């Protein structure tokens, strides 16, 4: 049974780090370019944060090597949070 | 892997179970912070202008430095696990020591940031804070609560990593028995994940 085995490498760790740093620079630049609190600014900031979070979970937390069950769990957590924030928005705007 | 061979194998370990337990714990952490993010979203809608006014006074440079520190510490933790799997115990220990040092730098930055706010009386209970508009106070309250809870996680993560060093020294973590180090790493990456969202929400949306 070797389906969990993978060759760990410093190189892939460093590439992930480089991408995270690049995205951090982009999100700081974008916050000025988009004017801080416009709808666009919020979408861009949260979008970039989510790309960074995906990189951390996939490459640093090794989800890409893990069983499908972990991916399903994470998917469920994202859906639950999505439902909560949608309900919050509906409640706020239509109360 | 060992966990498939537990029956009659003489091994008394269940690495897969330990890892899944850690992930389930991490999901409860996501629920904890997720609730706070919902509160933040609610009040951001409600006090849009007030949030903007206070957010403008946040120090983006300090926030960015702390972001770089945490991402670098995530790298060193990931590399320490890679090193351990390759059997490079000393490299792994060195990388974890660097991680703990980065965690301390993060907390020192936070100390300067908070003391600067508190010096201006912008902390619940002080007069300057009480004179703020309701929404402005709410931004600062959420800022202290969420970055404070996150800072607590940084401290806990650093303690866990110190335990990892001790266990490597004692030979209780080896390239074949690495699940404790991997779980401590997962916790550390969660701390980084939360900061990835806190940074734009409190510093960049100004």
């Amino acid at each position: 049974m070797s389906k969990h085995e993978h060759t760990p490498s410093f190189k892939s760790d460093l590439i992930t780090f480089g991408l995270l740093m690049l995205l951090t620079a982009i999100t700081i630049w974008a916050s000025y370019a988009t004017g801080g609190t416009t709808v666009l600014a919020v979408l861009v900031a949260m979008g970039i944060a989510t790309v960074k979070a995906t990189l951390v979970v996939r490459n640093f937390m090794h989800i890409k090597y893990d069983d499908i069950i972990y991916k399903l769990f994470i998917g469920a957590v994202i859906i639950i949070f999505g439902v909560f924030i949608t309900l919050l928005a509906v409640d706020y705007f239509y109360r | 892997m060992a966990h498939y061979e537990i029956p009659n194998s003489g091994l008394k370990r269940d690495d897969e179970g330990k890892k899944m337990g850690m992930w389930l714990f991490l999901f409860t952490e996501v629920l904890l912070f997720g609730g706070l993010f919902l509160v933040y979203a609610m009040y951001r809608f409600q006090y849009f202008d007030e949030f903007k006014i206070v957010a403008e006074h946040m120090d983006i440079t300090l926030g960015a430095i702390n972001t770089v520190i945490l991402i670098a510490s995530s790298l060193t933790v990931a590399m320490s696990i890679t090193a351990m799997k390759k059997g490079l115990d000393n490299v792994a220990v060195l990388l974890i020591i660097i991680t703990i040092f980065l965690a301390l730098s993060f907390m020192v930055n936070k100390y300067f940031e908070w003391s600067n706010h508190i010096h201006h009386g912008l902390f619940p209970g002080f007069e300057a804070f009480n004179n703020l508009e309701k929404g402005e106070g709410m931004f600062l309250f959420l800022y202290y609560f969420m970055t404070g809870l996150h800072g607590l996680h940084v401290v806990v993560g650093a303690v866990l990593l110190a335990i990892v060093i001790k266990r490597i020294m004692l030979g209780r973590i080896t390239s074949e028995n690495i699940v404790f180090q991997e779980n401590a790493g997962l916790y550390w990456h969660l701390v980084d994940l939360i900061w990835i969202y806190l940074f734009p929400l409190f510093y960049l949306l100004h």
Side-chain angles (χ1 to χ4, degrees):
Chain A
M1 285 282 193
S2 63
K3 66 173 181 165
H4 291 279
E5 302 286 2
H6 59 270
T7 323
S9 84
F10 292 124
K11 194 181 160 196
S12 66
D13 292 339
L14 285 166
I15 290 172
T16 307
F17 172 73
L19 287 172
L20 287 169
M21 296 302 281
L22 182 68
L23 285 165
T24 303
I26 292 174
T27 194
I28 294 170
W29 170 80
S31 77
Y32 289 103
T34 52
T37 40
T38 57
V39 174
L40 179 69
V42 176
L43 288 178
V44 169
M46 288 299 100
I48 294 174
T50 303
V51 174
K52 286 168 76 179
T54 310
L55 276 172
V56 171
V57 172
R58 188 178 175 280
N59 296 356
F60 278 167
M61 297 169 98
H62 292 167
I63 272 296
K64 64 176 169 177
Y65 302 120
D66 274 333
D67 271 344
I68 183 102
I69 187 73
Y70 295 97
K71 293 163 195 168
L72 291 174
F73 276 169
I74 292 169
V77 168
I78 293 170
I79 290 170
I80 290 169
F81 189 71
V83 168
F84 281 165
I85 204 140
T86 309
L87 284 175
L88 178 94
V90 169
D91 183 55
Y92 182 79
F93 287 113
Y94 296 99
R95 181 181 283 257
Chain B
M1 293 285 273
H3 52 270
Y4 290 110
E5 298 159 11
I6 284 172
N8 309 319
S9 72
L11 282 172
K12 290 180 179 150
R13 274 166 45 204
D14 182 3
D15 289 352
E16 196 71 23
K18 285 177 182 172
K19 187 166 79 172
M20 187 165 283
M22 190 65 199
W23 272 102
L24 291 176
F25 168 69
L26 293 188
F27 293 144
T28 69
E29 294 274 26
V30 172
L31 281 182
L32 173 66
F33 278 95
L36 289 167
F37 282 120
L38 290 179
V39 173
Y40 174 94
M42 171 75 195
Y43 283 113
R44 182 114 214 175
F45 278 133
Q46 194 168 347
Y47 297 113
F48 192 83
D49 296 327
E50 290 91 336
F51 265 48
K52 192 173 158 61
I53 290 167
V54 189
E56 273 171 2
H57 291 95
M58 301 301 288
D59 191 334
I60 293 184
T61 314
L62 263 185
I65 290 171
N66 266 352
T67 305
V68 171
I69 287 175
L70 270 197
I71 293 175
S73 72
S74 252
L75 170 74
T76 51
V77 161
M79 285 175 76
S80 81
I81 291 167
T82 306
M84 204 63 206
K85 281 182 178 165
K86 287 177 183 286
L88 306 167
D89 296 22
N90 291 335
V91 179
V93 169
L94 179 68
L95 284 163
I96 297 172
I97 290 172
I98 296 172
T99 311
I100 294 174
F101 174 75
L102 289 169
L104 290 175
S105 330
F106 180 93
M107 293 310 285
V108 167
N109 266 346
K110 270 254 120 18
Y111 166 77
F112 283 123
E113 203 181 6
W114 278 37
S115 28
N116 189 32
H117 294 308
I118 292 168
H119 184 70
H120 290 102
L122 294 173
F123 193 81
F126 285 89
E127 203 181 338
F129 182 90
N130 292 338
N131 291 334
L132 291 173
E133 295 289 323
K134 202 175 173 193
E136 296 173 1
M138 191 46 95
F139 178 96
L140 283 171
F141 185 82
L142 282 171
Y143 162 77
Y144 286 122
F145 196 93
M146 292 175 80
T147 62
L149 191 61
H150 176 264
L152 189 66
H153 281 74
V154 171
V155 173
V156 172
V159 171
L160 271 177
L161 290 170
I163 297 173
V164 170
I165 292 179
K166 191 179 167 222
R167 289 196 175 192
I168 292 176
M169 299 290 198
L170 293 173
R172 287 171 65 192
I173 295 175
T174 60
S175 59
E176 294 299 314
N177 183 8
I178 198 176
V179 69
F180 185 85
Q181 189 184 355
E182 283 183 319
N183 281 350
L186 285 176
Y187 187 85
W188 192 259
H189 293 310
L190 181 91
V191 171
D192 187 26
L193 273 182
I194 293 163
W195 185 259
I196 282 174
Y197 284 96
L198 288 180
F199 174 56
L201 288 177
F202 283 109
Y203 295 86
L204 293 182
L205 298 177
H206 53 82

